[in-house]
């Protein structure tokens, strides 16, 4: 039986383990990326390892999330990241240069290589045939130091795309259809490998929209083959020499297969407040919108925004709508300007924002109270827009553009002929190096500048022999990292200041959580399935660590967040019997016994409530994970100067 594309790339990078699903593998990492909201922690941790220069083929530090600069905090973070990056051999992409995933596609991604990024949407580069994964900042720091990245070998799911997309149906609708079928938990433990005639017809930006939102399925990553489309994209970027063909063998065996007939798709939207609340746009049509936001790492390519410009050309945005557009990169902005599309957008009434994440992470453009925002983004979790009671819908750029004109969610199929798609032609003409800072040769490093916003991060401790702790919060299923550690314009500037951030931990769910945690001197969290879905932010582990959280007891965990908990010495305990979840309540005192011995032996862990109820817990750890926990976190294990598998 032939090999999948995933198997080929993993085999070429394998450092430890074998390709058996469910077992731990270690892979070598060719490239890393960080962004500014997770980057400060990643570089503080990298510095703590004492490694003088990164050992990857390429590492890039982007500043794209935290660009409002409403106080010295953002600027401090950026100056720190810039100086620490170039000192250690990392390329710095200045604020305003673009969103990390879009810029990485344009400038650095390479088919067949591995990429580890401290951002959950790093799989965007899978659109170029890269094996690209999101991880916590500490895992990325270890990769920069030359260490392997460890993960559970996922099941490989073939997504066979057949047929042709009907008019007005977009790549966004393909991934929304998968979310509709599989939900935000459906991709956990899986890599989605796309293929078939429908995949061959998609351009790299379209593929990148799909691989980007694979993160919303909870997938480890998603990948497309490297073919004629990839070659055309890289050639347009003047990087044709970096192209290499790459595909699964024709007789490759997959763990699962999903088939989507593109011809049967219709335009879709994800309704508030989850990317899997998917419905046909026709079912939401007529809903008044206050705001339409186009951009984010999902849909901010030149071809996306050019289509939007063609839809808006010569028309006027509905007076009740605020239309905001954030191009994904300066290359995209330059191409929009050269093609005349930018003028069409401006004349129609669009507000052009900086090339950055912007409203996607609540950095400005929060909708009005109770307002409705239609966005081409990838996440619509409650409160993420910055307005707790706003309702955010997710849709394609086409649906967003026609709805901006009518002032209500609109089925574009009633709007005549769709715009003709354009390619990226000579995109590289617009790709300048002006907003990159390339590191000097080794040995010529400058000083690292640390402003007052850069605070030391909390360090994990070894697990106690026995844990007596209060249940500080009982949460439900699919708790997101936005629930655990909210992020918006008021908080994002404090990503390098855990003591400050900890005061807001879980406050979207429970306003007095931080005070309760402090008063109790710490405790544990109880939750349902898929705890920690969403972002890669380590802050969702670091802020709880600072508040004394010792363990999370859940029915299941999302991949990146589970790794972050382990890295910072917080025990991700799973209910052996999910029914025990119902037996626990907030305020209950739990005794989790003989912890140290059980962890060392890998045995089941027994807990008892103060009322005498027994609760059985599991902590299924690989030998490496057990070492991390027993050492009191990954940094203690890696130690100064040393990286496993360097
Ligand atoms: C997000 O989309 O949630 C973010 C902001 O890009 C995060 C990273 C972060 O929390 O800083 C992500 O996706 O990992
Ligand atoms: Fe930025 Fe939004 Fe993409 Fe996260 S999802 S990287 S906040 S654009």
């Amino acid at each position: 039986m032939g090999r999948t594309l995933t198997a080929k790339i993993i085999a070429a990078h394998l450092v430890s383990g074998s390709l058996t699903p469910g077992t731990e593998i270690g892979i070598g990492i060719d490239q890393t990326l960080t962004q500014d909201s997770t980057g400060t922690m990643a570089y503080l941790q990298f510095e703590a390892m004492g490694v003088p220069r990164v050992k990857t083929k390429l590492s890039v530090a982007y500043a794209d999330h935290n660009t409002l600069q409403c106080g010295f905090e953002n600027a401090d973070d950026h100056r720190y990241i810039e100086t620490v990056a170039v000192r250690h051999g990392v390329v710095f992409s200045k604020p305003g240069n673009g969103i990390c995933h879009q810029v990485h596609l344009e400038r650095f991604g390479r088919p067949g290589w591995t990429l580890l990024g401290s951002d959950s949407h790093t799989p965007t580069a899978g659109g170029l045939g890269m094996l690209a994964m999101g991880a916590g900042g500490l895992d990325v720091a270890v990769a920069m130091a030359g260490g392997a990245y460890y993960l559970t070998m996922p099941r490989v799911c073939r997504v066979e795309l057949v047929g042709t997309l009907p008019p007005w149906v977009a790549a966004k609708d393909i991934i929304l259809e998968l979310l509709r079928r599989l939900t935000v938990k459906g991709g956990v433990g899986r890599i989605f490998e796309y293929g078939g005639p429908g995949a061959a017809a998609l351009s790299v930006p379209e593929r990148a929209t799909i691989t980007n939102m694979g993160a919303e399925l909870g997938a480890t990553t998603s990948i497309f083959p490297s073919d004629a489309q990839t070659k055309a994209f890289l050639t347009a970027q003047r990087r044709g020499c970096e192209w290499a063909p790459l595909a699964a063998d024709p007789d490759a065996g997959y763990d699962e297969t999903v088939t989507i007939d593109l011809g049967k798709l219709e335009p879709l939207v994800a309704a508030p407040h989850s990317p899997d609340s998917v419905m046909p746009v026709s079912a939401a049509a007529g809903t008044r919108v206050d705001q339409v936001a186009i951009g984010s790492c999902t849909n901010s390519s030149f071809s996306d925004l050019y289509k939007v410009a063609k839809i808006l050309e010569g028309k006027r945005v509905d007076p009740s709508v605020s239309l905001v557009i954030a191009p994904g990169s300066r290359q995209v902005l330059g191409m929009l300007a050269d093609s005349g599309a930018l003028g069409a957008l401006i004349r129609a009434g669009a507000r052009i924002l900086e090339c950055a994440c912007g409203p996607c992470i609540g950095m400005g453009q929060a909708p009005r109270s109770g307002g409705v925002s239609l966005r081409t983004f990838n996440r619509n979790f409650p409160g993420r827009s910055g307005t707790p009671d706003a309702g955010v819908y997710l849709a394609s750029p086409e649906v967003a553009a026609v709805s901006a004109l009518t002032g209500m969610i609109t089925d574009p199929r009633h709007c005549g002929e769709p715009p003709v798609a354009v390619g990226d032609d000579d995109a590289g003409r617009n790709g300048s190096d002006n907003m990159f800072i390339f590191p000097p040769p080794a040995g010529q490093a400058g000083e690292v500048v640390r402003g007052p916003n850069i605070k030391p991060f909390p360090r994990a401790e070894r697990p106690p022999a026995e844990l007596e702790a209060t249940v500080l919060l009982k949460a439900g299923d699919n708790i997101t990292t936005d629930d655990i550690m909210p992020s918006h314009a008021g908080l994002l500037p404090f990503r390098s200041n855990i003591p400050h951030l900890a005061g807001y931990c879980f406050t979207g769910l429970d306003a007095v959580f931080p005070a309760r945690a402090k008063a109790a001197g710490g405790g544990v969290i109880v939750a349902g399935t898929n705890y920690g879905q969403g972002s890669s932010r380590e802050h969702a582990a670091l802020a709880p660590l600072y508040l004394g959280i010792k363990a999370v007891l859940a029915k299941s965990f999302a991949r990146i967040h589970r790794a972050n908990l382990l890295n910072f010495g917080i025990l991700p305990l799973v209910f052996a019997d999910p029914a025990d979840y119902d037996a626990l309540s907030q305020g209950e005192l739990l005794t989790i016994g003989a912890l140290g011995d059980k962890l060392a032996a890998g045995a089941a862990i027994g807990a008892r409530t103060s009322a005498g109820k027994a609760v059985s817990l599991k902590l299924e750890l690989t030998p490496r994970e057990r070492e991390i926990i027993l050492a009191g976190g990954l940094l203690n294990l890696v130690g100064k100067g040393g990286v496993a598998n360097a």
Side-chain angles (χ1 to χ4, degrees):
M1 195 168 55
R3 289 190 304 166
T4 63
L5 171 53
T6 305
K8 289 184 187 181
I9 303 181
I10 292 183
H13 290 84
L14 202 62
V15 171
S16 69
S18 70
L19 276 66
T20 313
T23 61
E24 187 177 78
I25 54 169
I27 57 171
I29 296 298
D30 297 318
Q31 297 185 343
T32 63
L33 70 78
T34 56
Q35 39 87 340
D36 48 347
S37 66
T38 54
T40 41
M41 281 300 143
Y43 293 106
L44 285 168
Q45 291 155 356
F46 179 79
E47 283 188 293
M49 289 174 211
V51 176
R53 208 170 162 89
V54 290
K55 296 185 178 158
T56 48
K57 291 181 181 146
L58 173 83
S59 288
V60 188
Y62 294 91
D64 54 357
H65 282 60
N66 205 356
T67 61
L68 272 189
Q69 297 172 332
C70 36
F72 67 91
E73 294 87 359
N74 291 185
D76 277 10
D77 282 0
H78 289 164
R79 190 79 182 126
Y80 167 68
I81 294 176
E82 175 185 336
T83 53
V84 77
V86 295
R87 181 180 172 88
H88 294 288
V90 177
V91 178
F92 180 64
S93 171
K94 292 173 72 170
N97 196 29
I99 305 173
C100 55
H101 308 304
Q102 177 65 27
V103 179
H104 208 82
L105 267 187
E106 293 167 359
R107 299 301 306 270
F108 304 117
R110 285 183 77 145
W113 287 29
T114 54
L115 168 68
L116 194 69
S118 64
D119 190 279
S120 64
H121 290 105
T122 304
T124 312
L128 262 184
M130 270 195 118
L131 190 80
M133 287 164 295
L138 180 49
D139 283 324
V140 176
V142 168
M144 287 193 281
Y149 178 59
Y150 293 90
L151 69 156
T152 305
M153 177 64 205
R155 295 167 70 75
V156 183
C157 178
R158 163 91 170 183
V159 186
E160 179 77 12
L161 301 181
V162 298
T164 313
L165 286 173
W168 290 109
V169 181
K172 181 67 155 257
D173 300 307
I174 302 176
I175 188 65
L176 288 176
E177 169 65 10
L178 260 188
L179 277 154
R180 187 187 70 75
R181 291 193 199 178
L182 304 179
T183 81
V184 292
K185 293 186 271 219
V188 174
R190 290 175 174 75
I191 289 185
F192 290 92
E193 196 175 302
Y194 289 81
L202 296 172
S203 67
V204 166
E206 289 176 312
R207 294 173 179 190
T209 293
I210 294 171
T211 53
N212 172 281
M213 267 189 97
E216 276 51 69
L217 291 163
T220 303
T221 191
S222 307
I223 189 166
F224 276 81
S226 172
D227 57 11
Q229 297 277 2
T230 326
K231 187 176 184 184
F233 179 86
L234 287 173
T235 305
Q237 293 295 336
R238 302 187 173 178
R239 297 202 289 127
C241 57
E242 295 176 18
W243 178 74
L246 201 61
D249 293 331
D251 59 342
Y254 289 89
D255 299 309
E256 293 158 13
T257 303
V258 176
T259 302
I260 301 182
D261 183 348
L262 303 185
K264 295 210 171 109
L265 292 185
E266 54 183 316
L268 300 168
V269 291
H273 297 285
S274 180
D276 62 1
S277 299
V278 175
M279 56 175 73
V281 71
S282 50
T287 307
R288 299 271 348 154
V289 294
D290 302 284
Q291 182 190 62
V292 173
I294 300 178
S296 92
C297 55
T298 319
N299 280 114
S300 59
S301 64
F302 172 64
S303 48
D304 279 336
L305 301 190
Y306 187 83
K307 273 188 270 180
V308 170
K310 286 290 152 195
I311 294 169
L312 298 185
E313 193 163 34
K315 305 200 174 86
R316 180 185 173 197
V317 169
D318 187 89
S320 66
V321 172
S322 170
L323 169 64
V324 293
I325 299 180
S329 68
R330 290 179 86 77
Q331 182 186 98
V332 170
L333 184 57
M335 289 171 77
L336 289 172
D338 288 355
S339 65
L342 185 59
L345 296 172
I346 292 170
R347 282 187 291 277
R351 300 166 63 187
I352 308 298
L353 304 181
E354 188 173 26
C355 305
C357 299
C360 179
I361 189 57
M363 295 302 275
Q365 279 69 42
R368 71 167 174 84
S369 293
V372 172
S373 179
L374 176 63
R375 301 177 160 207
T376 65
F377 305 170
N378 47 37
R379 291 186 173 145
N380 57 349
F381 301 142
R384 185 176 161 99
S385 66
T387 305
D389 61 355
V392 175
Y393 288 80
L394 306 175
S396 67
E398 289 86 332
V399 170
V402 297
S403 304
L405 291 174
T406 60
M408 60 185 92
I409 296 180
T410 299
D411 188 336
R413 290 172 300 179
H414 306 311
C415 301
E417 287 296 304
V420 179
V422 284
D424 284 328
D425 294 339
D426 190 13
R429 189 163 52 93
N430 270 294
S432 97
D433 282 350
N434 290 347
M435 289 189 78
F436 288 106
I437 296 187
F438 291 94
Q444 296 179 17
E447 278 314 297
V448 177
V449 181
R450 264 170 254 272
N453 194 43
I454 312 291
K455 299 274 190 269
F457 56 94
R459 301 294 285 253
E461 288 169 5
R462 292 168 203 281
E466 178 164 287
L467 178 62
E468 197 164 86
T470 309
V471 176
L472 289 172
L473 185 76
K474 184 169 178 188
D477 289 342
N478 295 322
I479 291 298
T480 71
T481 49
D482 284 85
D483 292 324
I484 305 168
M485 194 56 258
S487 219
H488 49 67
L491 289 182
L492 209 61
F494 294 97
R495 283 296 186 89
S496 43
N497 187 341
I498 300 297
H500 181 84
L501 276 188
Y504 297 86
C505 186
F506 280 116
T507 47
L509 295 182
D510 180 340
V512 295
F513 176 84
R516 187 162 66 244
K518 277 188 194 149
V524 299
I525 307 290
V526 170
T529 53
N530 201 24
Y531 178 80
Q533 67 154 332
S535 142
S536 66
R537 67 189 70 144
E538 289 171 306
H539 308 74
L542 284 165
L545 173 69
Y546 182 82
L547 293 173
I549 303 303
K550 302 278 187 262
V552 180
L553 285 57
K555 291 184 189 169
S556 65
F557 290 87
R559 177 186 71 93
I560 303 178
H561 187 62
R562 177 179 179 278
N564 286 341
L565 290 173
L566 286 171
N567 283 352
F568 293 102
I570 300 179
L571 302 172
L573 299 169
V574 175
F575 290 108
D577 176 2
D580 281 350
Y581 167 87
D582 302 316
L584 294 179
S585 43
Q586 192 175 303
E588 200 138 25
L589 189 67
L590 274 182
T591 308
I592 306 180
L595 201 50
D597 299 347
K598 294 274 167 66
L599 284 178
I605 297 166
R608 193 161 287 281
T609 67
S610 43
K613 157 117 186 76
V615 174
S616 174
L617 300 162
K618 292 186 292 192
L619 185 57
E620 284 170 358
L621 300 175
T622 65
R624 188 191 60 91
E625 290 173 339
R626 187 167 303 122
E627 262 188 82
I628 292 176
I629 279 289
L630 292 174
L634 180 58
L635 212 46
N636 288 345
L637 187 66
V638 168
K640 211 169 162 55
V643 168
N645 275 309

